[in-house]
Amino acid sequence: VQLQASGGGLVQTGGSLRLSCEASEFTLDFKAIGWFRQVPGKEPEAVSCIGVKNGVTYYTDSVKGRFTISRDNAKNTWYLQMNSLKPEDTATYYCTANSRATICNGMDYWGKGTQVTVSS
């Protein structure tokens, strides 16, 4: 299964972006899907995840109230709506999936990243 992320770009502080991730195959075996981000020199950080069947969501504290994860199982696609963006949101964002557990950890599928840059 390949994951393809899109929607990154350059935006000013306070702006919005919507990331999309499309899976190449039917994703019924995925337990959780989500988004991680990484800045140079640091480990990837879990930003948000959602359970494929139960819809339970997770958000890291720094994005709560600003980011919203959603999914369209019929389209094998999930999204990250990012509002009120801040310079500290600047990172490479990766769409991910977990076929083993409904948690935002130990993701076993990773797409290529999409760069998000927030200018001050």
Side-chain angles (χ1 to χ4, degrees), residues 70-82:
S70 61
R71 73 199 192 284
D72 186 335
N73 291 347
K75 295 183 178 180
N76 297 338
T77 302
W78 53 100
Y79 309 92
L80 186 68
Q81 178 66 43
M82 305 186 295

Side-chain angles (χ1 to χ4, degrees), residues 25-106:
E25 300 176 15
F26 189 52
T27 57
L28 185 60
D29 288 339
F30 288 165
K31 304 287 192 299
I33 53 181
W35 297 90
F36 279 57
R37 64 187 179 188
Q38 187 175 26
V39 297
K42 293 190 176 182
E43 293 293 315
E45 172 193 27
V47 177
S48 179
C49 289
I50 185 169
V52 172
K53 293 184 177 180
N54 61 19
V56 174
T57 57
Y58 162 83
Y59 296 94
T60 192
D61 286 344
S62 63
V63 309
K64 286 180 181 178
R66 301 188 297 121
F67 290 11
T68 303
I69 191 170
S70 61
R71 73 199 192 284
D72 186 335
N73 291 347
K75 295 183 178 180
N76 297 338
T77 302
W78 53 100
Y79 309 92
L80 186 68
Q81 178 66 43
M82 305 186 295
N83 298 329
S84 301
L85 283 162
K86 304 176 181 180
E88 50 264 43
D89 295 318
T90 295
T92 301
Y93 283 71
Y94 297 90
C95 60
T96 65
N98 193 333
S99 66
R100 296 169 293 195
T102 311
I103 57 174
C104 202
N105 191 23

Side-chain angles (χ1 to χ4, degrees), residues 17-28:
L17 285 173
R18 187 194 195 205
L19 305 183
S20 299
C21 181
E22 183 175 1
S24 61
E25 300 176 15
F26 189 52
T27 57
L28 185 60

